[in-house]
Amino acid sequence: MLHSETASPVARTSPARSLAFARAIVFGTVLVSGCSAVPSAARLQAETPTSGPAIVAIDTEAASRGAPIYARYCETCHGVRGDGRGVSASNMNPRPRNFVSAIYKCRSTANSQLPLPRDLRRTVAAGIHATAMPGWNVLGDAQLYEVVEYVRTFSPRWRSEPVPPPVGIAAETPDDDASRTRGRAIYDRVGCSACHGSGGRGDGPAVPSLRDDSGQPIVPFDFTGNRPLRCGSAPAELYRTLVTGVDGTPMPSFSTTMTPPELWDLVHFVMSLRQ
Amino acid sequence: MNRYLIALVVLASGCIGRSEAGALPESLQPSAQRGAQAATAAPGATTLSGRVTWHGAHPPMAPIPVTGNTAGCGTSSPFAALVIGADEGVAGAVITVEGLRGAVTPATVTVDQRGCNFSPHVSVVPVGGRLNFTNHDTVLHSVHAFRGAVSEFNLATPPGLSLARPMTAPGLLRIQCDVGHTWMSGWVHVVDSPFVAVTDAHGAYHIPNLPPGTYRVTMWHEGWTPRPSTDGHPVYSPPVTHTETVTVPASGTVDRNFTLS
């Protein structure tokens, strides 16, 4: 810290006392902020609407503790204003998420709706495979909660738009050869190969024209090989992705045109490609 | 200096992106922005009708090359942003009597995906009604709707299947298909007034049951001058609107025509 070299004749505390005072403040702040805690069960319950869409208010106290976490770990890519225009962003494909528009790929809520805060925590903790977004296992549960609350402050949508309850995931049907065969037929009949290719390699004929909502070229997922899926590799998570679609990308929701058994057959077939 | 010029050009080209909604007719604006005039009107006995016609030489309206699924979609798609009939009638213009709201009958409006195009290209759906998309083709389509720059929904329509979605908020939606069919586009006007109509193939429109009064009547038409596009989706100049003042008597028919050129 630079001290002013032109000390005013008006009484000033000595530099040594100022420094000690400053250190006490910083220590006290650290002490107080160290008391951050994981969100209570009541809070976690409140942030997931159950009976109908509801505004999920931001925990402003937690958000203020999340600000230095964001500055340290997230700002370089996601930007000071949370708009995805960090200093490192222009070299990346896909680009870092723009938190201002609050369009999120991986959600447990319906197509084109806001996600649940826990969806964001999941993404921060797990990362997104094959992108520059790592899994932030350096963050503890409390810090995850705080940084996500801070991220939510970037978008006005959280204050005015209700968040719907999570989509239902029907009970899984047996994952047997019959299901996978039906799934293959569904894959062909519905036309998944247009983007994902007849072999699921992400090399369908539509690929050259595909853009995400920000205009960047985007490639459909290659299901072959043992790559982690974008929004989770458990069968139920793939099922959910088919129901919600992947917002901000050409991947639509299939829930309005396929029944749950059909969706599960498709999941079983796609999972079989991964082996 | 050059750096700033390049940055300005890059920024400007990003702004050109989609044809912006520009000045929306009142019935498409969020309710909070409406003028104080908007009042719920009992149905009257007057009909406002007329035609939207083209004046002068036609601009370039070349068919759009089809770049994918040629087996299912053909090799070209008709120019959809401006459709002028043999009698110079302009189809797909939307006429709105502003400042009036009225009981809308919740109806289901169907937009077909046929020949790898949205048909009709421009439709009007009442708030509280449903928008039904039916895929009559043999290839997968999706319906990706945007309200301004924001995605409203993105739903898959596999071949032969339909989906219906309730329309709950007035406004203007632009729709596209994301499954490699970049030429597919359409517009959906979600309205909370019954006093809105789309012109037919002859450019004719017909708005019945108007109560007497003096109103501003706005014609909306999507822009048709091609602009640079970075992703293969056709992009045009912003929509055109003309507003006229019309005095409606207690009964009878009032004729009001619009021209585009």
Side-chain angles (χ1 to χ4, degrees):
Chain A
M1 285 290 247
L2 291 177
H3 297 283
S4 168
E5 293 184 2
T6 55
S8 138
V10 175
R12 267 167 82 93
T13 52
S14 72
R17 279 186 68 186
S18 301
L19 199 55
F21 187 60
R23 281 184 181 142
I25 293 295
V26 169
F27 179 73
T29 306
V30 168
L31 194 65
V32 168
S33 63
C35 294
S36 63
V38 291
S40 65
R43 165 68 197 180
L44 287 176
Q45 202 159 16
E47 69 171 26
T48 299
T50 46
S51 53
I55 305 259
V56 178
I58 295 170
D59 181 344
T60 49
E61 208 200 319
S64 63
R65 290 196 294 271
I69 302 171
Y70 183 89
R72 180 173 179 185
Y73 295 112
C74 321
E75 198 175 280
T76 317
C77 300
H78 290 283
V80 174
R81 284 176 289 276
D83 56 7
R85 292 167 183 256
V87 292
S88 307
S90 56
N91 296 327
M92 294 177 181
N93 187 11
R95 292 272 199 271
R97 189 116 311 256
N98 174 352
F99 300 129
V100 178
S101 61
I103 298 172
Y104 291 96
K105 285 182 176 174
C106 300
R107 294 154 291 106
S108 49
T109 53
N111 184 258
S112 299
Q113 302 297 309
L114 287 172
L116 301 175
R118 72 172 190 221
D119 295 335
L120 304 190
R121 292 198 293 270
R122 185 215 147 269
T123 298
V124 174
I128 301 182
H129 182 74
T131 71
M133 174 64 180
W136 291 98
N137 45 16
V138 66
L139 296 177
D141 286 346
Q143 293 174 304
L144 261 183
Y145 175 71
E146 290 158 359
V147 76
V148 163
E149 290 306 290
Y150 180 71
V151 160
R152 293 209 291 137
T153 63
F154 286 124
S155 177
R157 289 179 65 190
W158 295 101
R159 296 179 197 101
S160 59
E161 232 176 275
V163 180
V167 296
I169 299 182
E172 185 171 0
T173 58
D175 180 9
D176 52 22
D177 282 343
S179 176
R180 296 176 184 193
T181 305
R182 286 193 301 270
R184 167 90 242 183
I186 291 168
Y187 186 94
D188 293 333
R189 172 169 55 81
V190 163
C192 312
S193 50
C195 296
H196 290 282
S198 55
R201 293 188 183 279
D203 58 357
V207 169
S209 70
L210 299 179
R211 300 288 186 280
D212 64 18
D213 276 11
S214 66
Q216 294 294 115
I218 186 169
V219 180
F221 199 78
D222 175 357
F223 296 115
T224 64
N226 208 8
R227 296 175 186 76
L229 296 174
R230 282 283 151 86
C231 301
S233 300
E237 290 170 308
L238 179 56
Y239 182 100
R240 193 184 57 204
T241 300
L242 286 170
V243 170
T244 66
V246 182
D247 282 358
T249 77
M251 171 67 185
S253 157
F254 284 84
S255 63
T256 43
T257 46
M258 288 170 61
T259 63
E262 288 175 326
L263 288 168
W264 275 118
D265 287 340
L266 191 53
V267 166
H268 295 150
F269 166 67
V270 167
M271 287 301 193
S272 72
L273 294 173
R274 297 182 69 227
Q275 290 150 13
Chain B
M1 184 56 193
N2 279 340
R3 220 170 295 166
Y4 292 125
L5 195 60
I6 289 169
L8 190 65
V9 168
V10 167
L11 277 173
S13 61
C15 293
I16 283 170
R18 298 269 159 264
S19 51
E20 294 296 308
L24 289 175
E26 251 189 52
S27 66
L28 295 183
Q29 291 175 11
S31 326
Q33 294 175 12
R34 287 160 169 272
Q37 303 272 337
T40 302
T46 309
T47 295
L48 175 68
S49 64
R51 290 181 71 218
V52 178
T53 52
W54 185 268
H55 179 73
H58 292 185
M61 300 190 296
I64 303 167
V66 162
T67 49
N69 282 143
T70 46
C73 296
T75 51
S76 72
S77 177
F79 189 84
L82 180 61
V83 177
I84 306 175
D87 51 6
E88 301 299 298
V90 177
V94 177
I95 312 295
T96 304
V97 179
E98 303 197 23
L100 271 183
R101 298 168 76 173
V104 285
T105 311
T108 298
V109 172
T110 297
V111 175
D112 288 330
Q113 290 164 319
R114 191 190 297 275
C116 302
N117 276 304
F118 290 108
S119 174
H121 179 64
V122 179
S123 50
V124 173
V125 183
V127 168
R130 296 169 78 78
L131 189 56
N132 175 302
F133 291 98
T134 301
N135 183 346
H136 293 272
D137 293 332
T138 56
V139 297
L140 173 67
H141 291 304
S142 71
V143 186
H144 194 167
F146 290 88
R147 188 183 291 262
V150 175
S151 220
E152 180 104 335
F153 58 83
N154 185 4
L155 305 171
T157 46
L161 298 185
S162 305
L163 66 88
R165 184 168 177 98
M167 296 285 111
T168 54
L172 178 60
L173 300 177
R174 183 185 63 80
I175 56 178
Q176 67 186 36
C177 171
D178 278 352
V179 192
H181 307 143
T182 50
W183 62 90
M184 286 179 73
S185 70
W187 299 88
V188 177
H189 296 242
V190 186
V191 298
D192 57 5
S193 159
F195 306 113
V196 186
V198 191
T199 58
D200 61 17
H202 299 287
Y205 74 93
H206 195 77
I207 299 177
N209 303 324
L210 272 171
T214 300
Y215 307 106
R216 287 159 21 105
V217 176
T218 297
M219 181 221 59
W220 172 98
H221 189 282
E222 67 176 298
W224 54 83
T225 306
R227 291 272 184 264
S229 167
T230 52
D231 59 3
H233 289 279
V235 178
Y236 302 102
S237 47
V240 172
T241 56
H242 290 326
T243 301
E244 298 206 1
T245 304
V246 177
T247 301
V248 171
S251 67
T253 304
V254 176
D255 215 57
R256 188 54 57 106
N257 301 319
F258 295 87
T259 56
L260 288 169
S261 58

